[in-house]
Amino acid sequence: MTATIVSPRLMRIGGGSVDQIAEVLGLFGLSRPLVVTDPWMVSSGTVSRLLDPLVRADIVAAVFSETVPDPTDTVVEAGVAAFRAGNYDCLIGFGGGSPMDTAKAMGILAAAEPGAKMRAFKVPAQADRAAVPVICIPTTAGTGSEATRFTVITDTETEEKMLIAGLGALPLAAIVDYELTYSVPPRTTADTGIDSLTHALEAYVSKRANPHADSLALSAMRLIGRHLRIAFRQPNNAAAREAMMLGAMQAGLAFSNSSVALVHGMSRPIGAHFHVPHGLSNAMLLPAVTEYGLNDALPRYAEAARAIGVATKEDADQVAGSKLLEELRELNQELGVPTPADYGIGAAKWEGLLPLMAQQALASGSPANNPRVPDAAEIVALYRRVYA
Ligand code: NAD
């Protein structure tokens, strides 16, 4: 088997690295950025962490701050209109996964004919072209989007969260500065942290796993397994924030070069139909979906348990696998992850949408990478199982 490995051309990692944005742009001869961010980044003043160093370097940056959580095709179209109205040579995605994904999607859509729609690029299409390079600077830890060849955009006509994949979505460069995450509230720290853990675990057990992605996934699980609870309880713990940011990035690189699997396939429809934050819908599914596939990739799940730090070398695989399930359930409890019912999703609406959600999960292609590949009926059964 051959593996194709992709990653940004440059990643600058460390506390305070956002101050070096002008130098990073300069390395690539870029000087006219459009910053893509969200309204909170502007209202909280956080965007100045990026704009101030640009001003000091005499770089004039415009800001598009209309991105929304779980970015939509209409927001991407508005972003492309703003991009075309100026003379920009790059896009800077600054924020959580939502602004970064919006910037990536803008690059892809802006390279297409005027009037093109985002849905033309959803998998299995390949989105390999972007109008200009994208630089990503994450402020959550996180989606890993700064290092992946994916963007996830909701089709507002069908309420489908579309997976869009290709070199057009791969950032040219990433600046990964954990100091930007001190202000992330505990709920978002938990949700985004479980998202990273899910990336690493799914990349590692995926049918498309390969040795390079494995090493990144294992490293990410070691970091996240030891630091997620600390970051959740102690927002100002520098070592925990730094470990989570690195772990999130490595998990992004891992799944970008392997794949995600059933959790993500089933999670996107929950996000699209019920507006549950992405990491939270992953967390709702993770224990049950892991249990569903456990015996089909037991040695891998066992190794994951050892990397996370809940099993030892001395534990037999079956024991380590059980400890992994226990840990995922405990983690959800400690981090206050609700069931879909507790989140307030009505039983009738949930039940009525299950066939469509199962079909959308399968269409994304992600379930096919799972160690145990479900059909639509099994996906519906899993959705029912996690509901209450
Ligand atoms: P998000 O970007 O939607 O942000 C969540 C909230 O946190 C927002 O209110 C935001 O303003 C706030 N926030 C962000 N940074 C903050 C900070 N430093 N301090 C305080 N508040 C802050 O959430 P996310 O979980 O980072 O991203 C989710 C999106 O990413 C989803 O759309 C998901 O589908 C996508 N995603 C993409 C990839 C990929 O590879 N492209 C991978 C996983 C998830």
Side-chain angles (χ1 to χ4, degrees), residues 224-243:
I224 298 163
R226 282 157 187 76
H227 294 97
L228 174 52
R229 286 176 174 87
I230 303 173
F232 176 69
R233 293 205 194 98
Q234 303 168 24
N236 292 321
N237 186 309
R241 290 295 197 184
E242 184 169 21

Side-chain angles (χ1 to χ4, degrees), residues 182-203:
Y182 283 131
S183 53
V184 179
R187 179 73 264 140
T188 306
T189 298
D191 295 347
T192 52
I194 297 182
D195 189 24
S196 316
L197 181 64
T198 310
H199 290 155
L201 181 60
E202 293 212 291

Side-chain angles (χ1 to χ4, degrees), residues 76-167:
V76 175
E77 285 167 19
V80 169
F83 171 77
R84 287 190 174 136
N87 178 26
Y88 305 108
D89 62 6
C90 61
L91 293 160
I92 302 180
F94 183 65
S98 299
M100 291 193 287
D101 276 14
T102 305
K104 291 172 166 198
M106 283 166 58
I108 291 166
L109 194 63
E113 294 295 307
K117 293 286 173 193
M118 215 56 236
R119 73 177 68 91
F121 299 96
K122 78 171 176 178
V123 292
Q126 273 290 121
D128 284 334
R129 287 180 54 227
V132 288
V134 178
I135 291 97
C136 279
I137 307 175
T139 62
T140 60
T143 64
S145 179
E146 68 275 11
T148 75
R149 60 186 172 88
F150 301 110
T151 173
V152 183
I153 302 296
T154 299
D155 186 327
T156 44
E157 274 177 32
T158 59
E159 289 209 330
E160 182 188 1
K161 262 185 109 169
M162 302 179 289
L163 180 63
I164 292 157
L167 292 177

Side-chain angles (χ1 to χ4, degrees), residues 200 204 212-227 243 246-248 250-251 254 307-308:
Y204 191 64
H212 182 71
D214 284 354
S215 64
L216 291 159
L218 287 170
S219 173
M221 286 189 276
R222 277 183 212 111
L223 290 164
I224 298 163
R226 282 157 187 76
H227 294 97
L246 184 63
Q250 290 182 339
I308 289 169

